[in-house]
Amino acid sequence: MEFKDYYAALGVAPDADEKAIKTAYRKLARKYHPDVSKEPDAEAHFKEVSEAYEVLKSPEKRAEYDELRKYGQQGPQFEAPPGWQPRGGFDGPPPEHEQDFSDFFEQIFGARAGAGGGARQPRAHRGQDVEMEVPLFLEEALSGESRPISFSLPSYDEYGRKLPPQSKTLNVKIPVGTTDGERIRLKGQGAAGINGGPAGDLYLVIRLVPHPLFDVDGRDLVVTVPVAPWEAALGAKVEVPTLGGRINLGIPASSQAGQRLRIKGKGLPNKGDAAPGDLYAVLKVVMPKNADEATRKLWEELAAKAAFDPRAEWGKRA
């Protein structure tokens, strides 16, 4: 097995201090990061410097590596000294659960203790927590019914090496009164533990889906209600949609465009015994698109008889 010179990989001296090692790693990680690097073999270089930093940043791993390093200088094939046993070990999955380390690393810090050393027992580790966004329609916020949710979980073997992700489906009941951005914890439904460790948790982040009619303002809902000019002037009863069905809403006479009418208790539900939000109907006066000659004359007669200047007060403030 080829010996890995981690100091050479980072371009630092064997007596480099912690700061020099961290600085070298950050510089090389930026240079070779696969998402941004244009360098040839960037991914391979990135893995090499990540592996080197994983060892040299840890005083325990570095001490073990330094102890073995002199044996690595003796030839192209590395063999641990007879009877050598590691003192530390690879403590769980690699950083960010993304690294695939070399066989050399695994022999020293992973599943095997080295030539003649025999197997060592990996440590147990808690599984990774997983967070995912769940879209929720406003109508679903009222029901509290269960719904299937499918997702993927990261997976690792008993030594922390990454495996293909695992698919999982759960029937989840979203509590009535859940709001946008709320996090719901499902204990033990995250990634499986390593070597007998407990599973992580699953966190559902609720995202309310935009509704074609209703805007959300906290627990309150806002709906725009079109009304004809004569309905605003004379008053009327109009059908207004709510999340629970349509209701008849009374439009007071002499209503104004933009006026908000409160419909108590028809907003989003609250948790426990707290009162639900309200629904606000915002009036929008809509003119007919086309008017025949007879209709135009009626408007002219109304304008002359009303003698109303809608900009009278507005003009005084100009």
Side-chain angles (χ1 to χ4, degrees), residues 12-33:
V12 297
D15 60 350
D17 60 15
E18 181 180 349
K19 182 178 180 181
I21 290 172
K22 181 181 291 187
T23 299
Y25 167 71
R26 287 180 175 175
K27 180 179 178 181
L28 292 171
R30 285 195 297 267
K31 180 178 179 180
Y32 293 120
H33 197 286

mmCIF file with all atom_site columns, all heavy atoms in Angstrom, residues 12-33:
data_model
loop_
_atom_site.group_PDB
_atom_site.id
_atom_site.type_symbol
_atom_site.label_atom_id
_atom_site.label_alt_id
_atom_site.label_comp_id
_atom_site.label_asym_id
_atom_site.label_entity_id
_atom_site.label_seq_id
_atom_site.pdbx_PDB_ins_code
_atom_site.Cartn_x
_atom_site.Cartn_y
_atom_site.Cartn_z
_atom_site.occupancy
_atom_site.B_iso_or_equiv
_atom_site.pdbx_formal_charge
_atom_site.auth_seq_id
_atom_site.auth_comp_id
_atom_site.auth_asym_id
_atom_site.auth_atom_id
_atom_site.pdbx_PDB_model_num
ATOM 1   N N   . VAL A 1 12 ? 3.341   21.834 3.663  1.00 0.00 ? 12 VAL A N   1
ATOM 2   C CA  . VAL A 1 12 ? 3.854   22.406 4.912  1.00 0.00 ? 12 VAL A CA  1
ATOM 3   C C   . VAL A 1 12 ? 4.965   21.517 5.450  1.00 0.00 ? 12 VAL A C   1
ATOM 4   O O   . VAL A 1 12 ? 5.086   20.332 5.092  1.00 0.00 ? 12 VAL A O   1
ATOM 5   C CB  . VAL A 1 12 ? 2.725   22.537 5.969  1.00 0.00 ? 12 VAL A CB  1
ATOM 6   C CG1 . VAL A 1 12 ? 1.651   23.490 5.500  1.00 0.00 ? 12 VAL A CG1 1
ATOM 7   C CG2 . VAL A 1 12 ? 2.117   21.164 6.281  1.00 0.00 ? 12 VAL A CG2 1
ATOM 8   N N   . ALA A 1 13 ? 5.771   22.080 6.333  1.00 0.00 ? 13 ALA A N   1
ATOM 9   C CA  . ALA A 1 13 ? 6.855   21.336 6.955  1.00 0.00 ? 13 ALA A CA  1
ATOM 10  C C   . ALA A 1 13 ? 6.306   20.425 8.042  1.00 0.00 ? 13 ALA A C   1
ATOM 11  O O   . ALA A 1 13 ? 5.248   20.697 8.617  1.00 0.00 ? 13 ALA A O   1
ATOM 12  C CB  . ALA A 1 13 ? 7.878   22.297 7.539  1.00 0.00 ? 13 ALA A CB  1
ATOM 13  N N   . PRO A 1 14 ? 7.026   19.326 8.371  1.00 0.00 ? 14 PRO A N   1
ATOM 14  C CA  . PRO A 1 14 ? 6.557   18.412 9.414  1.00 0.00 ? 14 PRO A CA  1
ATOM 15  C C   . PRO A 1 14 ? 6.414   19.058 10.782 1.00 0.00 ? 14 PRO A C   1
ATOM 16  O O   . PRO A 1 14 ? 5.683   18.540 11.629 1.00 0.00 ? 14 PRO A O   1
ATOM 17  C CB  . PRO A 1 14 ? 7.633   17.313 9.424  1.00 0.00 ? 14 PRO A CB  1
ATOM 18  C CG  . PRO A 1 14 ? 8.208   17.341 8.048  1.00 0.00 ? 14 PRO A CG  1
ATOM 19  C CD  . PRO A 1 14 ? 8.195   18.784 7.645  1.00 0.00 ? 14 PRO A CD  1
ATOM 20  N N   . ASP A 1 15 ? 7.089   20.194 11.016 1.00 0.00 ? 15 ASP A N   1
ATOM 21  C CA  . ASP A 1 15 ? 6.961   20.869 12.305 1.00 0.00 ? 15 ASP A CA  1
ATOM 22  C C   . ASP A 1 15 ? 6.010   22.067 12.232 1.00 0.00 ? 15 ASP A C   1
ATOM 23  O O   . ASP A 1 15 ? 6.021   22.926 13.125 1.00 0.00 ? 15 ASP A O   1
ATOM 24  C CB  . ASP A 1 15 ? 8.341   21.311 12.807 1.00 0.00 ? 15 ASP A CB  1
ATOM 25  C CG  . ASP A 1 15 ? 9.033   22.279 11.844 1.00 0.00 ? 15 ASP A CG  1
ATOM 26  O OD1 . ASP A 1 15 ? 8.522   22.455 10.706 1.00 0.00 ? 15 ASP A OD1 1
ATOM 27  O OD2 . ASP A 1 15 ? 10.068  22.854 12.210 1.00 0.00 ? 15 ASP A OD2 1
ATOM 28  N N   . ALA A 1 16 ? 5.189   22.150 11.179 1.00 0.00 ? 16 ALA A N   1
ATOM 29  C CA  . ALA A 1 16 ? 4.258   23.278 11.032 1.00 0.00 ? 16 ALA A CA  1
ATOM 30  C C   . ALA A 1 16 ? 3.258   23.289 12.182 1.00 0.00 ? 16 ALA A C   1
ATOM 31  O O   . ALA A 1 16 ? 2.816   22.241 12.656 1.00 0.00 ? 16 ALA A O   1
ATOM 32  C CB  . ALA A 1 16 ? 3.527   23.172 9.698  1.00 0.00 ? 16 ALA A CB  1
ATOM 33  N N   . ASP A 1 17 ? 2.911   24.506 12.620 1.00 0.00 ? 17 ASP A N   1
ATOM 34  C CA  . ASP A 1 17 ? 1.947   24.599 13.715 1.00 0.00 ? 17 ASP A CA  1
ATOM 35  C C   . ASP A 1 17 ? 0.520   24.521 13.171 1.00 0.00 ? 17 ASP A C   1
ATOM 36  O O   . ASP A 1 17 ? 0.286   24.461 11.959 1.00 0.00 ? 17 ASP A O   1
ATOM 37  C CB  . ASP A 1 17 ? 2.158   25.890 14.520 1.00 0.00 ? 17 ASP A CB  1
ATOM 38  C CG  . ASP A 1 17 ? 1.993   27.161 13.686 1.00 0.00 ? 17 ASP A CG  1
ATOM 39  O OD1 . ASP A 1 17 ? 1.443   27.083 12.552 1.00 0.00 ? 17 ASP A OD1 1
ATOM 40  O OD2 . ASP A 1 17 ? 2.411   28.217 14.139 1.00 0.00 ? 17 ASP A OD2 1
ATOM 41  N N   . GLU A 1 18 ? -0.439  24.534 14.096 1.00 0.00 ? 18 GLU A N   1
ATOM 42  C CA  . GLU A 1 18 ? -1.853  24.349 13.732 1.00 0.00 ? 18 GLU A CA  1
ATOM 43  C C   . GLU A 1 18 ? -2.339  25.445 12.786 1.00 0.00 ? 18 GLU A C   1
ATOM 44  O O   . GLU A 1 18 ? -3.067  25.182 11.833 1.00 0.00 ? 18 GLU A O   1
ATOM 45  C CB  . GLU A 1 18 ? -2.707  24.333 15.000 1.00 0.00 ? 18 GLU A CB  1
ATOM 46  C CG  . GLU A 1 18 ? -4.192  24.113 14.733 1.00 0.00 ? 18 GLU A CG  1
ATOM 47  C CD  . GLU A 1 18 ? -4.999  24.115 16.019 1.00 0.00 ? 18 GLU A CD  1
ATOM 48  O OE1 . GLU A 1 18 ? -4.367  24.076 17.096 1.00 0.00 ? 18 GLU A OE1 1
ATOM 49  O OE2 . GLU A 1 18 ? -6.239  24.161 15.929 1.00 0.00 ? 18 GLU A OE2 1
ATOM 50  N N   . LYS A 1 19 ? -1.900  26.682 13.022 1.00 0.00 ? 19 LYS A N   1
ATOM 51  C CA  . LYS A 1 19 ? -2.339  27.797 12.184 1.00 0.00 ? 19 LYS A CA  1
ATOM 52  C C   . LYS A 1 19 ? -1.838  27.645 10.753 1.00 0.00 ? 19 LYS A C   1
ATOM 53  O O   . LYS A 1 19 ? -2.586  27.879 9.789  1.00 0.00 ? 19 LYS A O   1
ATOM 54  C CB  . LYS A 1 19 ? -1.841  29.113 12.787 1.00 0.00 ? 19 LYS A CB  1
ATOM 55  C CG  . LYS A 1 19 ? -2.288  30.343 12.005 1.00 0.00 ? 19 LYS A CG  1
ATOM 56  C CD  . LYS A 1 19 ? -1.810  31.622 12.666 1.00 0.00 ? 19 LYS A CD  1
ATOM 57  C CE  . LYS A 1 19 ? -2.257  32.842 11.868 1.00 0.00 ? 19 LYS A CE  1
ATOM 58  N NZ  . LYS A 1 19 ? -1.780  34.106 12.495 1.00 0.00 ? 19 LYS A NZ  1
ATOM 59  N N   . ALA A 1 20 ? -0.568  27.241 10.595 1.00 0.00 ? 20 ALA A N   1
ATOM 60  C CA  . ALA A 1 20 ? -0.005  27.067 9.258  1.00 0.00 ? 20 ALA A CA  1
ATOM 61  C C   . ALA A 1 20 ? -0.717  25.951 8.505  1.00 0.00 ? 20 ALA A C   1
ATOM 62  O O   . ALA A 1 20 ? -0.974  26.052 7.296  1.00 0.00 ? 20 ALA A O   1
ATOM 63  C CB  . ALA A 1 20 ? 1.487   26.773 9.361  1.00 0.00 ? 20 ALA A CB  1
ATOM 64  N N   . ILE A 1 21 ? -1.064  24.896 9.210  1.00 0.00 ? 21 ILE A N   1
ATOM 65  C CA  . ILE A 1 21 ? -1.771  23.780 8.579  1.00 0.00 ? 21 ILE A CA  1
ATOM 66  C C   . ILE A 1 21 ? -3.167  24.205 8.133  1.00 0.00 ? 21 ILE A C   1
ATOM 67  O O   . ILE A 1 21 ? -3.605  23.897 7.020  1.00 0.00 ? 21 ILE A O   1
ATOM 68  C CB  . ILE A 1 21 ? -1.837  22.593 9.561  1.00 0.00 ? 21 ILE A CB  1
ATOM 69  C CG1 . ILE A 1 21 ? -0.439  21.980 9.742  1.00 0.00 ? 21 ILE A CG1 1
ATOM 70  C CG2 . ILE A 1 21 ? -2.825  21.539 9.083  1.00 0.00 ? 21 ILE A CG2 1
ATOM 71  C CD1 . ILE A 1 21 ? -0.364  20.936 10.822 1.00 0.00 ? 21 ILE A CD1 1
ATOM 72  N N   . LYS A 1 22 ? -3.863  24.943 8.991  1.00 0.00 ? 22 LYS A N   1
ATOM 73  C CA  . LYS A 1 22 ? -5.211  25.400 8.638  1.00 0.00 ? 22 LYS A CA  1
ATOM 74  C C   . LYS A 1 22 ? -5.173  26.363 7.460  1.00 0.00 ? 22 LYS A C   1
ATOM 75  O O   . LYS A 1 22 ? -5.998  26.283 6.542  1.00 0.00 ? 22 LYS A O   1
ATOM 76  C CB  . LYS A 1 22 ? -5.869  26.068 9.850  1.00 0.00 ? 22 LYS A CB  1
ATOM 77  C CG  . LYS A 1 22 ? -7.291  26.546 9.582  1.00 0.00 ? 22 LYS A CG  1
ATOM 78  C CD  . LYS A 1 22 ? -7.891  27.210 10.795 1.00 0.00 ? 22 LYS A CD  1
ATOM 79  C CE  . LYS A 1 22 ? -8.154  26.197 11.894 1.00 0.00 ? 22 LYS A CE  1
ATOM 80  N NZ  . LYS A 1 22 ? -8.899  26.815 13.033 1.00 0.00 ? 22 LYS A NZ  1
ATOM 81  N N   . THR A 1 23 ? -4.190  27.276 7.455  1.00 0.00 ? 23 THR A N   1
ATOM 82  C CA  . THR A 1 23 ? -4.071  28.246 6.360  1.00 0.00 ? 23 THR A CA  1
ATOM 83  C C   . THR A 1 23 ? -3.799  27.542 5.042  1.00 0.00 ? 23 THR A C   1
ATOM 84  O O   . THR A 1 23 ? -4.404  27.862 4.003  1.00 0.00 ? 23 THR A O   1
ATOM 85  C CB  . THR A 1 23 ? -2.953  29.244 6.673  1.00 0.00 ? 23 THR A CB  1
ATOM 86  O OG1 . THR A 1 23 ? -3.258  29.948 7.885  1.00 0.00 ? 23 THR A OG1 1
ATOM 87  C CG2 . THR A 1 23 ? -2.804  30.251 5.539  1.00 0.00 ? 23 THR A CG2 1
ATOM 88  N N   . ALA A 1 24 ? -2.891  26.567 5.067  1.00 0.00 ? 24 ALA A N   1
ATOM 89  C CA  . ALA A 1 24 ? -2.560  25.831 3.846  1.00 0.00 ? 24 ALA A CA  1
ATOM 90  C C   . ALA A 1 24 ? -3.771  25.065 3.330  1.00 0.00 ? 24 ALA A C   1
ATOM 91  O O   . ALA A 1 24 ? -4.047  25.037 2.120  1.00 0.00 ? 24 ALA A O   1
ATOM 92  C CB  . ALA A 1 24 ? -1.399  24.878 4.120  1.00 0.00 ? 24 ALA A CB  1
ATOM 93  N N   . TYR A 1 25 ? -4.510  24.454 4.237  1.00 0.00 ? 25 TYR A N   1
ATOM 94  C CA  . TYR A 1 25 ? -5.688  23.698 3.816  1.00 0.00 ? 25 TYR A CA  1
ATOM 95  C C   . TYR A 1 25 ? -6.741  24.600 3.177  1.00 0.00 ? 25 TYR A C   1
ATOM 96  O O   . TYR A 1 25 ? -7.300  24.279 2.124  1.00 0.00 ? 25 TYR A O   1
ATOM 97  C CB  . TYR A 1 25 ? -6.305  22.970 5.018  1.00 0.00 ? 25 TYR A CB  1
ATOM 98  C CG  . TYR A 1 25 ? -7.674  22.432 4.734  1.00 0.00 ? 25 TYR A CG  1
ATOM 99  C CD1 . TYR A 1 25 ? -7.861  21.346 3.880  1.00 0.00 ? 25 TYR A CD1 1
ATOM 100 C CD2 . TYR A 1 25 ? -8.817  23.023 5.286  1.00 0.00 ? 25 TYR A CD2 1
ATOM 101 C CE1 . TYR A 1 25 ? -9.122  20.869 3.584  1.00 0.00 ? 25 TYR A CE1 1
ATOM 102 C CE2 . TYR A 1 25 ? -10.075 22.549 5.008  1.00 0.00 ? 25 TYR A CE2 1
ATOM 103 C CZ  . TYR A 1 25 ? -10.213 21.466 4.146  1.00 0.00 ? 25 TYR A CZ  1
ATOM 104 O OH  . TYR A 1 25 ? -11.462 21.002 3.860  1.00 0.00 ? 25 TYR A OH  1
ATOM 105 N N   . ARG A 1 26 ? -7.026  25.737 3.788  1.00 0.00 ? 26 ARG A N   1
ATOM 106 C CA  . ARG A 1 26 ? -8.048  26.634 3.247  1.00 0.00 ? 26 ARG A CA  1
ATOM 107 C C   . ARG A 1 26 ? -7.660  27.126 1.855  1.00 0.00 ? 26 ARG A C   1
ATOM 108 O O   . ARG A 1 26 ? -8.506  27.220 0.958  1.00 0.00 ? 26 ARG A O   1
ATOM 109 C CB  . ARG A 1 26 ? -8.255  27.810 4.191  1.00 0.00 ? 26 ARG A CB  1
ATOM 110 C CG  . ARG A 1 26 ? -8.993  27.421 5.470  1.00 0.00 ? 26 ARG A CG  1
ATOM 111 C CD  . ARG A 1 26 ? -9.177  28.621 6.372  1.00 0.00 ? 26 ARG A CD  1
ATOM 112 N NE  . ARG A 1 26 ? -9.990  28.284 7.540  1.00 0.00 ? 26 ARG A NE  1
ATOM 113 C CZ  . ARG A 1 26 ? -10.239 29.121 8.540  1.00 0.00 ? 26 ARG A CZ  1
ATOM 114 N NH1 . ARG A 1 26 ? -9.739  30.350 8.518  1.00 0.00 ? 26 ARG A NH1 1
ATOM 115 N NH2 . ARG A 1 26 ? -10.998 28.746 9.559  1.00 0.00 ? 26 ARG A NH2 1
ATOM 116 N N   . LYS A 1 27 ? -6.390  27.434 1.670  1.00 0.00 ? 27 LYS A N   1
ATOM 117 C CA  . LYS A 1 27 ? -5.923  27.915 0.372  1.00 0.00 ? 27 LYS A CA  1
ATOM 118 C C   . LYS A 1 27 ? -6.088  26.832 -0.695 1.00 0.00 ? 27 LYS A C   1
ATOM 119 O O   . LYS A 1 27 ? -6.593  27.091 -1.795 1.00 0.00 ? 27 LYS A O   1
ATOM 120 C CB  . LYS A 1 27 ? -4.456  28.333 0.485  1.00 0.00 ? 27 LYS A CB  1
ATOM 121 C CG  . LYS A 1 27 ? -3.857  28.847 -0.819 1.00 0.00 ? 27 LYS A CG  1
ATOM 122 C CD  . LYS A 1 27 ? -2.414  29.263 -0.615 1.00 0.00 ? 27 LYS A CD  1
ATOM 123 C CE  . LYS A 1 27 ? -1.798  29.738 -1.930 1.00 0.00 ? 27 LYS A CE  1
ATOM 124 N NZ  . LYS A 1 27 ? -0.368  30.131 -1.743 1.00 0.00 ? 27 LYS A NZ  1
ATOM 125 N N   . LEU A 1 28 ? -5.680  25.614 -0.377 1.00 0.00 ? 28 LEU A N   1
ATOM 126 C CA  . LEU A 1 28 ? -5.770  24.528 -1.352 1.00 0.00 ? 28 LEU A CA  1
ATOM 127 C C   . LEU A 1 28 ? -7.216  24.079 -1.574 1.00 0.00 ? 28 LEU A C   1
ATOM 128 O O   . LEU A 1 28 ? -7.591  23.689 -2.690 1.00 0.00 ? 28 LEU A O   1
ATOM 129 C CB  . LEU A 1 28 ? -4.916  23.343 -0.883 1.00 0.00 ? 28 LEU A CB  1
ATOM 130 C CG  . LEU A 1 28 ? -3.398  23.604 -0.888 1.00 0.00 ? 28 LEU A CG  1
ATOM 131 C CD1 . LEU A 1 28 ? -2.660  22.457 -0.209 1.00 0.00 ? 28 LEU A CD1 1
ATOM 132 C CD2 . LEU A 1 28 ? -2.889  23.798 -2.308 1.00 0.00 ? 28 LEU A CD2 1
ATOM 133 N N   . ALA A 1 29 ? -8.036  24.108 -0.508 1.00 0.00 ? 29 ALA A N   1
ATOM 134 C CA  . ALA A 1 29 ? -9.441  23.723 -0.655 1.00 0.00 ? 29 ALA A CA  1
ATOM 135 C C   . ALA A 1 29 ? -10.168 24.669 -1.597 1.00 0.00 ? 29 ALA A C   1
ATOM 136 O O   . ALA A 1 29 ? -10.994 24.244 -2.409 1.00 0.00 ? 29 ALA A O   1
ATOM 137 C CB  . ALA A 1 29 ? -10.123 23.692 0.709  1.00 0.00 ? 29 ALA A CB  1
ATOM 138 N N   . ARG A 1 30 ? -9.884  25.966 -1.487 1.00 0.00 ? 30 ARG A N   1
ATOM 139 C CA  . ARG A 1 30 ? -10.485 26.932 -2.419 1.00 0.00 ? 30 ARG A CA  1
ATOM 140 C C   . ARG A 1 30 ? -9.999  26.695 -3.839 1.00 0.00 ? 30 ARG A C   1
ATOM 141 O O   . ARG A 1 30 ? -10.750 26.807 -4.803 1.00 0.00 ? 30 ARG A O   1
ATOM 142 C CB  . ARG A 1 30 ? -10.154 28.358 -1.978 1.00 0.00 ? 30 ARG A CB  1
ATOM 143 C CG  . ARG A 1 30 ? -10.949 28.852 -0.782 1.00 0.00 ? 30 ARG A CG  1
ATOM 144 C CD  . ARG A 1 30 ? -10.851 30.359 -0.639 1.00 0.00 ? 30 ARG A CD  1
ATOM 145 N NE  . ARG A 1 30 ? -9.485  30.781 -0.385 1.00 0.00 ? 30 ARG A NE  1
ATOM 146 C CZ  . ARG A 1 30 ? -8.963  30.957 0.821  1.00 0.00 ? 30 ARG A CZ  1
ATOM 147 N NH1 . ARG A 1 30 ? -9.714  30.736 1.892  1.00 0.00 ? 30 ARG A NH1 1
ATOM 148 N NH2 . ARG A 1 30 ? -7.716  31.335 0.974  1.00 0.00 ? 30 ARG A NH2 1
ATOM 149 N N   . LYS A 1 31 ? -8.711  26.359 -3.965 1.00 0.00 ? 31 LYS A N   1
ATOM 150 C CA  . LYS A 1 31 ? -8.123  26.170 -5.295 1.00 0.00 ? 31 LYS A CA  1
ATOM 151 C C   . LYS A 1 31 ? -8.700  24.959 -6.004 1.00 0.00 ? 31 LYS A C   1
ATOM 152 O O   . LYS A 1 31 ? -8.934  24.986 -7.218 1.00 0.00 ? 31 LYS A O   1
ATOM 153 C CB  . LYS A 1 31 ? -6.606  26.018 -5.162 1.00 0.00 ? 31 LYS A CB  1
ATOM 154 C CG  . LYS A 1 31 ? -5.879  25.822 -6.491 1.00 0.00 ? 31 LYS A CG  1
ATOM 155 C CD  . LYS A 1 31 ? -4.374  25.724 -6.275 1.00 0.00 ? 31 LYS A CD  1
ATOM 156 C CE  . LYS A 1 31 ? -3.642  25.516 -7.598 1.00 0.00 ? 31 LYS A CE  1
ATOM 157 N NZ  . LYS A 1 31 ? -2.176  25.410 -7.416 1.00 0.00 ? 31 LYS A NZ  1
ATOM 158 N N   . TYR A 1 32 ? -8.951  23.863 -5.258 1.00 0.00 ? 32 TYR A N   1
ATOM 159 C CA  . TYR A 1 32 ? -9.339  22.612 -5.894 1.00 0.00 ? 32 TYR A CA  1
ATOM 160 C C   . TYR A 1 32 ? -10.787 22.210 -5.663 1.00 0.00 ? 32 TYR A C   1
ATOM 161 O O   . TYR A 1 32 ? -11.177 21.108 -6.044 1.00 0.00 ? 32 TYR A O   1
ATOM 162 C CB  . TYR A 1 32 ? -8.437  21.483 -5.390 1.00 0.00 ? 32 TYR A CB  1
ATOM 163 C CG  . TYR A 1 32 ? -7.002  21.615 -5.818 1.00 0.00 ? 32 TYR A CG  1
ATOM 164 C CD1 . TYR A 1 32 ? -5.987  21.726 -4.871 1.00 0.00 ? 32 TYR A CD1 1
ATOM 165 C CD2 . TYR A 1 32 ? -6.657  21.620 -7.163 1.00 0.00 ? 32 TYR A CD2 1
ATOM 166 C CE1 . TYR A 1 32 ? -4.654  21.848 -5.257 1.00 0.00 ? 32 TYR A CE1 1
ATOM 167 C CE2 . TYR A 1 32 ? -5.328  21.749 -7.560 1.00 0.00 ? 32 TYR A CE2 1
ATOM 168 C CZ  . TYR A 1 32 ? -4.329  21.859 -6.607 1.00 0.00 ? 32 TYR A CZ  1
ATOM 169 O OH  . TYR A 1 32 ? -3.031  21.975 -6.994 1.00 0.00 ? 32 TYR A OH  1
ATOM 170 N N   . HIS A 1 33 ? -11.588 23.071 -5.034 1.00 0.00 ? 33 HIS A N   1
ATOM 171 C CA  . HIS A 1 33 ? -12.974 22.666 -4.763 1.00 0.00 ? 33 HIS A CA  1
ATOM 172 C C   . HIS A 1 33 ? -13.674 22.340 -6.083 1.00 0.00 ? 33 HIS A C   1
ATOM 173 O O   . HIS A 1 33 ? -13.697 23.157 -7.006 1.00 0.00 ? 33 HIS A O   1
ATOM 174 C CB  . HIS A 1 33 ? -13.742 23.772 -4.032 1.00 0.00 ? 33 HIS A CB  1
ATOM 175 C CG  . HIS A 1 33 ? -14.986 23.261 -3.380 1.00 0.00 ? 33 HIS A CG  1
ATOM 176 N ND1 . HIS A 1 33 ? -16.112 22.924 -4.107 1.00 0.00 ? 33 HIS A ND1 1
ATOM 177 C CD2 . HIS A 1 33 ? -15.291 23.004 -2.076 1.00 0.00 ? 33 HIS A CD2 1
ATOM 178 C CE1 . HIS A 1 33 ? -17.049 22.504 -3.292 1.00 0.00 ? 33 HIS A CE1 1
ATOM 179 N NE2 . HIS A 1 33 ? -16.585 22.536 -2.063 1.00 0.00 ? 33 HIS A NE2 1
#
